[in-house]
């Protein structure tokens, strides 16, 4: 049974009518028109659907939209500020980290959440954060290089 659900996404608050158990991923794509988060596995195993909710990287393919009420949600699209790409997005472009691009949303969102908590992570910390995001193209070494570059460009 649909209910009014209020979500704060990329700094904007919107109330929608939806089944409270509908996964946030579908709400973001269908109600907000945001396509950065992707449907990958639907089993919380690939990370393609990752967003940042209250400074934590969170998967959205299964988790109910109602559980995100009162959370500050940032999507890939919300990283851009004043027409400028986020430093992590710039680093991923500079290092040509994406190949097919399907996992890149999860890689970028996980990296942003990491660098907000730890601006100068070790390579081990980077690997631990990126490990849950599956990349079938095998470009993990470029992702690690991008995160290191972004951390160098982050003010600690």
């Amino acid at each position: 049974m649909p209910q009014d659900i209020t979500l704060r996404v990329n700094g904007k608050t919107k109330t929608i009518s939806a089944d409270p158990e509908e996964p946030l991923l579908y709400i973001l794509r269908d109600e907000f028109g945001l396509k950065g988060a992707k449907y990958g596995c639907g089993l919380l195993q690939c990370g393609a659907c990752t967003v940042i909710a209250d400074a934590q990287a969170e998967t959205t393919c299964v988790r109910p939209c109602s559980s995100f009420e009162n959370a500050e949600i940032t999507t890939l699209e919300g990283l851009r500020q004043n027409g400028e790409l986020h430093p992590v997005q710039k680093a991923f472009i500079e290092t040509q980290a994406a190949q097919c691009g399907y996992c890149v949303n999860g890689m970028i969102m996980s990296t942003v959440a990491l660098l907000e908590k730890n601006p100068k992570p070790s390579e081990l910390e980077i690997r631990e954060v990126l490990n849950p995001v599956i990349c079938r193209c095998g470009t993990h070494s470029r992702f690690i290089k991008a995160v290191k570059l972004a951390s160098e460009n982050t003010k600690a």
Side-chain angles (χ1 to χ4, degrees):
M1 189 76 158
Q3 296 178 3
D4 282 350
I5 297 171
T6 302
L7 298 170
R8 184 158 177 80
V9 180
N10 298 333
K12 296 177 184 162
T13 302
K14 182 176 179 179
T15 300
I16 58 161
S17 178
D19 178 338
E21 293 301 311
E22 185 169 352
L24 180 64
L25 176 63
Y26 302 130
I27 300 295
L28 292 173
R29 295 179 67 80
D30 299 340
E31 299 289 336
F32 287 83
L34 301 169
K35 308 296 185 192
K38 307 274 189 267
Y39 180 87
C41 67
L43 301 169
L44 301 174
Q45 295 180 355
C46 75
C49 65
T50 303
V51 299
I52 297 173
D54 293 335
Q56 298 288 326
E58 300 281 354
T59 53
T60 62
C61 64
V62 175
R63 191 164 157 202
C65 62
S66 60
S67 70
F68 286 92
E69 274 196 299
N70 303 314
E72 183 68 36
I73 303 164
T74 304
T75 68
L76 186 67
E77 296 88 348
L79 295 178
R80 177 176 267 204
Q81 298 295 315
N82 302 317
E84 286 285 317
L85 292 176
H86 188 280
V88 171
Q89 291 170 306
K90 289 178 182 177
F92 273 63
I93 291 169
E94 187 173 327
T95 59
Q96 297 180 9
Q99 193 160 325
C100 82
Y102 212 78
C103 68
V104 78
N105 173 75
M107 294 292 185
I108 288 174
M109 300 310 287
S110 296
T111 297
V112 170
L114 168 65
L115 295 181
E116 284 178 2
K117 289 182 198 124
N118 180 2
K120 304 296 181 197
S122 67
E123 185 168 326
L124 178 60
E125 291 167 317
I126 294 168
R127 288 177 182 275
E128 286 175 355
V129 165
L130 297 184
N131 188 49
V133 183
I134 295 173
C135 172
R136 289 183 171 89
C137 299
T139 56
H140 287 89
S141 62
R142 284 188 265 165
F143 291 129
I144 292 166
K145 184 177 178 182
V147 177
K148 287 179 178 179
L149 178 62
S151 77
E152 291 168 8
N153 296 328
T154 300
K155 295 175 178 93

